[in-house]
Amino acid sequence: MCTRAVGGLAHYVEGQGVATTQLSLIRPHTAVIKPPRALWVPFDLGRPLGVPNDAGFQKRVLLSALNLFEETSGPVLVDFPEDAPVTGREDAVWACPVNLARKKIAPGDADALRAAFKAETMELRAWYDLALKKNKRTTVGVSGLEINQIVEFIGAFIDSVPANPREDMTLAYVLNFAADDLKAFYYEAAAAQPGSASPDAAELDDWFWGQTAAAKVLLAVKDRCLKKDDKMMQQLGKILLVPMSHSGSEDR
């Protein structure tokens, strides 16, 4: 959930008598929202605890955020004093474990794009399963859909509006969560390559948005969302499905 949404939710929860604290990755947003308690961390987006597999450092971050409960009134915005640890991979070169075969897809050929998308996720499935076995955890699952359901659901949005697979939330929310699961699936699969060169956030972003059929699908879905009358769908298209740093990647 974005910093602004978390900050707004914190005000509501505090109004119900429950104390809150949060981690902030974008300090200017937090400074404007003024949540009751927030710890700004100078880490890459998507890594609020710094780097993977460093339990000691991650514990210090969490304890710093929890210590803000000692502040009885706010808003409180504290800067975490440490940078993320150096991983020792500065001279290493990361490459995705799967050499994705990207075929040239004619503009507007929705069926070809869906086929490439489905084949790509099947190629990555073994690497995702390896990551799951190794890490014993995953961030995939917020949508409540299996990856094959996610592929069918998101792929349908390229040229139509599919049926809502969940009865307990709106179609826009399901699409948002399914897209989050899709990106998490790809990132976890890509990071599963054995060896010393673990990808950083920028490398994963460049790989996903520059080399995958999934990115082409999300860009196509983004364009459809922007044309909808539904405000939540428009919000998805503007800022949620595709990061602004990659929203102009129309040359895929």
Side-chain angles (χ1 to χ4, degrees):
M1 191 177 290
C2 71
T3 298
R4 286 174 290 185
V6 171
L9 183 61
H11 282 295
Y12 173 80
V13 174
E14 292 262 344
Q16 304 301 307
V18 179
T20 64
T21 186
Q22 71 180 73
L23 296 174
S24 166
L25 285 163
I26 307 177
R27 200 181 196 284
H29 288 178
T30 306
V32 170
I33 297 298
K34 294 181 172 60
R37 298 164 201 81
L39 177 73
W40 175 71
V41 290
F43 312 144
D44 290 335
L45 291 178
R47 290 191 169 178
L49 298 179
V51 295
N53 305 316
D54 190 333
F57 184 80
Q58 293 171 351
K59 181 178 179 180
R60 291 201 298 277
V61 176
L62 289 172
L63 287 176
S64 295
L66 294 174
N67 285 340
L68 297 182
F69 282 125
E70 296 177 1
E71 304 287 344
T72 58
S73 62
V76 176
L77 177 55
V78 174
D79 294 349
F80 187 71
E82 301 179 57
D83 291 327
V86 176
T87 61
R89 59 169 306 280
E90 283 69 24
D91 297 327
V93 177
W94 175 79
C96 176
V98 176
N99 183 17
L100 300 176
R102 301 192 68 210
K103 297 180 180 179
K104 189 69 175 179
I105 299 173
D109 192 340
D111 289 337
L113 181 53
R114 273 191 289 264
F117 178 35
K118 184 175 181 179
E120 186 176 86
T121 56
M122 292 177 65
E123 286 185 81
L124 288 170
R125 184 59 194 250
W127 288 98
Y128 170 77
D129 290 341
L130 178 64
L132 184 60
K133 182 178 179 179
K134 176 182 176 182
N135 299 323
K136 296 182 174 57
R137 63 182 183 275
T138 181
T139 58
V140 178
V142 294
S143 69
L145 304 177
E146 298 295 331
I147 188 62
N148 61 314
Q149 294 176 295
I150 290 171
V151 170
E152 294 292 334
F153 176 64
I154 294 180
F157 271 98
I158 297 173
D159 56 2
S160 64
V161 178
N164 189 342
R166 298 272 307 261
E167 296 181 353
D168 57 335
M169 63 180 70
T170 66
L171 187 66
Y173 273 108
V174 179
L175 175 58
N176 186 25
F177 292 148
D180 286 345
D181 276 346
L182 177 69
K183 286 178 276 191
F185 172 86
Y186 270 70
Y187 282 35
E188 291 178 21
Q193 182 183 24
S196 60
S198 298
D200 61 25
E203 287 172 324
L204 284 171
D205 278 346
D206 289 344
W207 166 75
F208 181 81
W209 295 107
Q211 299 184 36
T212 70
K216 295 188 67 152
V217 170
L218 289 179
L219 284 162
V221 175
K222 167 197 164 184
D223 291 340
R224 284 190 59 81
C225 288
L226 289 173
K227 297 174 183 177
K228 296 292 183 183
D229 294 331
D230 183 276
K231 290 185 177 179
M232 181 58 188
M233 284 291 188
Q234 292 177 4
Q235 188 81 341
L236 285 175
K238 288 178 181 177
I239 62 173
L240 296 179
L241 288 182
V242 180
M244 295 186 68
S245 57
H246 294 276
S247 60
S249 305
E250 285 9 273
D251 57 335
R252 304 177 189 285

